[in-house]
Amino acid sequence: MEQGNKNTRSTRRILDHINSPADLKGLELADLEILARQIRDLIIETVSQNGGHLAPCLGVVELSIALHYVFDAPRDKIIWDVGHQAYAHKIITGRRDKFHTLRKYKGISGFPRREESPYDSFNTGHSGTSISAGLGITTARSIKGNRHKVIAVIGDGSMTAGMAFEALNQTGHTERDLIVILNDNEMSIAKNVGALSSYISRKIYEPRFVSLKKNLENFFRSIPGVGENIFAVLKKSEDSLIGLLTPGMLFEALKFRYIGPIKGHDLNLLIKTFKDVAQLKGPVLVHVLTTKGKGYEPAEKNPTYFHGIGSFDIATGLTTQKSANEPPSYTEVFGRTMVELGAKEKRLFAITAAMPEGTGLTEFARVYPDRFIDVGIAEQHAVTFAAGLATEGFKPVVAIYSTFLQRAFDQIIHDVCLPDLPVIFALDRSGIVGDDGRTHQGTFDLSYLRIIPNMTVMAPKDENELRHMLFTALAFHGPIAIRYPRGNGVGIPLDKEYKKIPIGEVEELTHGKDLLILALGSRVHPSLEAATELEKEGYSVSVVNCRFVKPLDPRISEMAANTGRVLIVEENTLHGGLGSAILELFSDQGLPNLIIKRLGIPDKFIEHGPQSLLREKYRVGRKEIVAEARKLCNYHDPGKEKA
Ligand SMILES: Cc1ncc(C[n+]2csc(CCOP(=O)(O)OP(=O)(O)O)c2C)c(N)n1
């Protein structure tokens, strides 16, 4: 196995000369193999410092080289599903010199972006879109009379997404020229799940299939008189015999020509296969077997851990970011609370859409295997599945990142809220998530959940309140969502006893007469700190932990009338979030003459960068809250300005 950082100076030069895919075309196979090692080293080196999706990218180095060697991008369109595995593609397509800026603020994105390069033919980040996009591009190509190739590269995990099947179904029907590369490493982030997964991972050269094939051959040969003839016919149609034993049948039924499975680290084989495939008409699926984490031992051994990782030490594979005294993350506290509540409430059921680790549910899955399910990358199904459980008296908790729950908007409306079912939504990574950027920011959930009848939406100010909110949700009789941020809690001790939070009630944390700060979730503690700072300047500020965006506490209006000045702070788009809800309340209650300022995320997609930097940039950090609060305090009495 190759380890990172073993380049000699002479071999290093090959990568240094790759400025576009054209530079690959003249290379010999042996050079391409050296190049693969150099690309791996660069990926390992960079991700060890910047963090990123290591294991998925290491698994597709040869695949990326072979695709760019055979096809003619950017004329030919290569679409990377999810796009978390596109680092080698980025390095090959002119971004080698910028690669050290990967995922850094103003640096290159961790995902394909059309704005970043003409080689990134489709923006991805959420799973399962590549075949649909590919079919769209193929259809446009036909109408425009162009002849370029369209290639969708999709992992076996992403193939569990419903969208992928919708697209396969239509592609087969239209019989358009589309090449789908199924990158099968038997992993999603965790081990891949589902009937399809076990079906496609049936490998023709697995011992049981080899022996099954042998037995069939022996059986036919042993039939006296006709056996040899039957065997000869079978031999001729070996393809169809193999088709019976491999995943080919499934894709052939969908009118795809199935090729594979082929070994995905054999550059020679990949290149030969892609050259053949490039000549074929109609939909083709090439089944490529790869090893996630290939070429870096720690990642091969633990691909789940190295799927997406922060900075780490290359020699040991140990992460270098976390210090021992850090408070636990919201995810950890959620996971721990689920395990505790699972013991008290036997109807509690946990659902993840391919993110058992990311959502903190691995321990729950271990302790209560009968009350846990990983549905695969199928957020829509997860929600309706939960609705089904709820109709039978269960208490399902659907734990999905804020950004991915967007997928299930209609299921939340139609299957959960309309029949008013007690489904609990746990939205991790709400607000600004940081380095993953535009496709992953969780800045819309308050808006998209708040508008749905019967829905209750809450956000804890700290990790301790998260526990109480989960407890509260469990006793609640309708749809209810808890949104909490990415990262560590604030370091508050965790109560042993659970308590119910009265639905729709705010919590007044400080009482003052100059200004009312209405804050939600992750913005409550920075607002408290701001109030303390302003107190030193002679102002008295009320800080209210809103806790609920829906229903809103009508007492907010009284509180606002008392100070006359209101600052609303949230980590959600200003369109339709907490601030909008409060303005609606004020308007409905006929509250005139208030001075109101809203802090929140503007109407745009937020780029990648450190959470703290982005919070500062978009004016929801502590310093910006202080500045706005001071301005408001001074509004009527500029003479009082002391800053
Ligand atoms: C809609 C959606 N849900 C969840 C995710 C989180 N996610 C990112 S990669 C991934 C696993 C993808 O597995 P696969 O396609 O097999 O690629 P691999 O990482 O194994 O190469 C998941 C679940 C996502 N990107 N999009």
Side-chain angles (χ1 to χ4, degrees):
M1 183 184 300
E2 298 295 334
Q3 284 291 334
N5 277 346
K6 278 194 182 161
N7 284 330
T8 63
R9 290 187 61 169
S10 60
T11 55
R12 185 101 209 168
R13 264 186 242 127
I14 296 180
L15 177 55
D16 291 346
H17 288 95
I18 305 300
N19 296 312
S20 80
D23 297 326
L24 291 181
K25 315 259 176 193
L27 294 182
E28 301 290 328
L29 183 65
D31 286 342
L32 292 175
E33 277 163 359
I34 293 170
L35 178 67
R37 285 205 294 276
Q38 294 172 357
I39 290 177
R40 270 205 175 88
D41 284 346
L42 180 59
I43 292 173
I44 294 167
E45 220 171 274
T46 309
V47 177
S48 75
Q49 286 162 24
N50 301 10
H53 288 97
L54 185 67
C57 288
L58 294 180
V60 296
V61 173
E62 287 81 7
L63 182 59
S64 309
I65 293 175
L67 283 171
H68 280 296
Y69 184 86
V70 174
F71 294 101
D72 183 24
R75 190 175 156 269
D76 291 340
K77 313 286 179 202
I78 303 173
I79 306 155
W80 298 92
D81 204 282
V82 186
H84 65 314
Q85 77 290 56
Y87 297 175
H89 157 83
K90 291 200 174 204
I91 292 168
I92 293 167
T93 55
R95 284 166 276 184
R96 182 201 57 228
D97 289 344
K98 288 193 200 136
F99 196 64
H100 66 280
T101 69
L102 177 76
R103 287 159 49 92
K104 287 198 181 285
Y105 182 60
K106 298 213 185 277
I108 60 173
S109 163
F111 295 87
R113 292 195 67 221
R114 287 159 56 81
E115 302 80 350
E116 190 179 288
S117 164
Y119 291 94
D120 294 357
S121 49
F122 197 76
N123 291 15
T124 46
H126 289 202
S127 177
T129 63
S130 62
I131 305 175
S132 301
L135 182 59
I137 295 170
T138 307
T139 304
R141 171 195 61 191
S142 304
I143 295 169
K144 286 156 82 177
N146 293 337
R147 300 174 67 84
H148 60 79
K149 300 284 172 198
V150 184
I151 304 116
V153 185
I154 181 166
D156 58 307
S158 298
M159 200 58 119
T160 62
M163 250 188 106
F165 280 89
E166 293 168 29
L168 283 176
N169 184 33
Q170 196 202 344
T171 307
H173 173 72
T174 59
E175 297 185 11
R176 290 201 188 278
D177 298 350
L178 177 68
I179 300 166
V180 175
I181 313 278
L182 173 60
N183 170 34
D184 179 7
N185 52 27
E186 297 185 23
M187 297 291 293
S188 195
I189 292 178
K191 189 89 191 129
N192 201 8
V193 294
L196 173 80
S197 159
S198 41
Y199 184 74
I200 59 174
S201 61
R202 292 193 306 174
K203 307 296 174 335
I204 188 69
Y205 47 79
E206 270 177 11
R208 63 200 172 106
F209 286 112
V210 173
S211 71
L212 176 61
K213 195 167 155 244
K214 261 262 129 345
N215 289 345
L216 277 175
E217 287 173 9
N218 291 342
F219 167 74
F220 286 120
R221 282 184 134 152
S222 68
I223 302 173
V226 291
E228 278 301 331
N229 291 345
I230 294 177
F231 176 70
V233 172
L234 277 178
K235 237 355 226 174
K236 265 197 201 146
S237 57
E238 185 147 30
D239 274 356
S240 53
L241 184 62
I242 286 173
L244 283 176
L245 300 175
T246 68
M249 241 172 44
L250 172 75
F251 297 108
E252 300 266 349
L254 288 166
K255 296 200 181 160
F256 272 73
R257 189 186 288 221
Y258 172 85
I259 292 169
I262 65 168
K263 294 182 179 173
H265 301 293
D266 182 337
L267 261 170
N268 191 28
L269 181 61
L270 286 170
I271 289 171
K272 264 170 57 187
T273 307
F274 292 157
K275 278 184 175 164
D276 289 346
V277 163
Q279 307 306 316
L280 298 175
K281 290 258 151 247
V284 182
L285 184 134
V286 188
H287 186 181
V288 177
L289 306 177
T290 59
T291 303
K292 204 159 171 171
K294 178 79 178 172
Y296 180 56
E297 196 175 346
E300 278 193 38
K301 281 198 175 136
N302 194 350
T304 298
Y305 183 72
F306 281 92
H307 175 90
I309 187 161
S311 58
F312 65 94
D313 175 55
I314 296 177
T316 60
L318 295 175
T319 170
T320 48
Q321 254 173 2
K322 218 174 163 75
S323 86
N325 300 328
E326 279 180 14
S329 67
Y330 281 89
T331 308
E332 282 161 7
V333 173
F334 168 76
R336 206 186 302 168
T337 308
M338 284 292 288
V339 174
E340 285 172 25
L341 293 178
K344 292 180 200 286
E345 173 53 87
K346 303 292 177 209
R347 295 170 304 165
L348 177 63
F349 197 107
I351 302 164
T352 176
M355 318 277 297
E357 289 79 15
T359 55
L361 285 173
T362 34
E363 183 60 9
F364 188 94
R366 195 188 63 75
V367 181
Y368 312 109
D370 296 342
R371 290 190 277 141
F372 167 83
I373 190 91
D374 176 355
V375 298
I377 307 178
E379 288 80 5
Q380 295 150 297
H381 161 62
V383 170
T384 305
F385 171 78
L389 278 169
T391 60
E392 291 296 310
F394 278 86
K395 293 278 186 177
V397 174
V398 186
I400 296 182
Y401 289 5
S402 166
T403 187
F404 302 136
L405 193 63
Q406 290 163 193
R407 277 273 161 98
F409 185 51
D410 182 58
Q411 284 73 9
I412 298 173
I413 294 178
H414 180 269
D415 300 329
V416 176
C417 290
L418 204 156
D420 203 10
L421 291 169
V423 172
I424 300 164
F425 296 95
L427 280 75
D428 201 331
R429 297 343 187 236
S430 285
I432 289 173
V433 300
D435 307 324
D436 281 337
R438 289 172 177 80
T439 51
H440 283 61
Q441 309 285 10
T443 51
F444 305 115
D445 56 61
L446 294 180
S447 314
Y448 73 71
L449 293 174
R450 189 175 77 78
I451 58 164
I452 311 174
N454 291 335
M455 177 60 97
T456 293
V457 186
M458 48 187 173
K461 68 177 183 298
D462 54 44
E463 62 273 35
N464 190 40
E465 198 169 52
L466 169 61
R467 285 164 64 75
H468 297 314
M469 283 190 173
L470 197 52
F471 181 71
T472 304
L474 215 52
F476 190 66
H477 295 294
I480 188 161
I482 315 170
R483 59 112 66 177
Y484 44 96
R486 176 183 187 159
N488 293 338
V490 289
I492 300 282
L494 303 180
D495 298 337
K496 289 245 155 20
E497 291 293 311
Y498 288 102
K499 56 178 186 238
K500 268 194 212 157
I501 294 173
I503 298 295
E505 273 192 22
V506 299
E507 178 189 33
E508 191 175 48
L509 298 172
T510 64
H511 188 74
K513 58 180 178 25
D514 294 323
L515 172 71
L516 170 67
I517 302 183
L518 295 164
L520 186 78
S522 70
R523 297 304 86 203
V524 173
H525 278 273
S527 299
L528 271 175
E529 290 167 25
T532 310
E533 216 160 310
L534 287 170
E535 206 174 294
K536 290 183 205 145
E537 298 175 17
Y539 300 112
S540 84
V541 177
S542 279
V543 177
V544 166
N545 168 20
C546 286
R547 298 201 289 210
F548 294 84
V549 172
K550 189 181 184 180
L552 271 187
D553 194 330
R555 288 179 306 159
I556 287 176
S557 300
E558 261 168 60
M559 295 172 170
N562 286 340
T563 60
R565 298 164 207 166
V566 183
L567 178 63
I568 305 167
V569 195
E570 62 188 312
E571 208 173 308
N572 189 83
T573 173
L574 285 167
H575 287 228
L578 172 75
S580 299
I582 291 173
L583 291 181
E584 288 161 22
L585 179 80
F586 289 168
S587 161
D588 292 348
Q589 295 195 337
L591 263 191
N593 304 327
L594 290 175
I595 299 151
I596 305 168
K597 173 79 192 178
R598 291 182 298 148
L599 292 180
I601 306 300
D603 184 23
K604 63 175 275 195
F605 292 104
I606 305 301
E607 69 272 44
H608 60 273
Q611 249 176 334
S612 55
L613 184 151
L614 294 174
R615 282 177 174 147
E616 198 175 308
K617 174 167 178 182
Y618 292 103
R619 307 200 49 74
V620 291
R622 188 190 59 79
K623 271 199 328 227
E624 297 69 40
I625 299 172
V626 171
E628 284 304 332
R630 187 185 292 124
K631 255 197 240 164
L632 282 172
C633 285
N634 284 325
Y635 189 79
H636 278 310
D637 185 5
K640 214 176 167 189
E641 175 118 44
K642 303 192 179 162

